[in-house]
């Protein structure tokens, strides 16, 4: 899949994202979405994608 989170274009890792208002984002991104053979909250999937791509995330 090539997109802005996994696509090989844009910012080059390693870098760190400082996610302001992350508690509010987590509360709003609880929709369950497929990820491989399981379902996860969208918020958690986004964090997994960042980690897979070598991006550090600081939740604020």
């Amino acid at each position: 899949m090539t997109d802005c989170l996994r696509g090989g274009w844009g910012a080059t890792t390693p870098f760190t994202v400082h996610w302001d208002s992350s508690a509010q984002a987590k509360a709003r991104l609880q929709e369950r979405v497929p990820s491989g053979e399981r379902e996860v909250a969208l918020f958690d999937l986004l964090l997994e994608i960042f980690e897979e791509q070598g991006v550090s995330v600081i939740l604020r």
Side-chain angles (χ1 to χ4, degrees):
M1 170 187 273
T2 300
D3 57 29
C4 63
L5 294 175
R6 295 186 175 124
W9 54 275
T12 304
T13 56
F15 63 89
T16 300
V17 169
H18 295 256
W19 191 335
D20 292 331
S21 303
S22 61
Q24 290 93 339
K26 183 175 184 173
R28 293 175 186 239
L29 297 173
Q30 286 305 305
E31 175 185 348
R32 307 291 289 180
V33 295
S35 178
E37 307 243 344
R38 61 193 176 107
E39 285 192 354
V40 297
L42 182 55
F43 182 84
D44 295 328
L45 179 59
L46 292 171
L47 291 177
E48 288 176 13
I49 292 169
F50 281 128
E51 183 179 348
E52 287 171 7
Q53 298 302 313
V55 177
S56 299
V57 179
I58 297 174
L59 302 176
R60 298 179 175 184

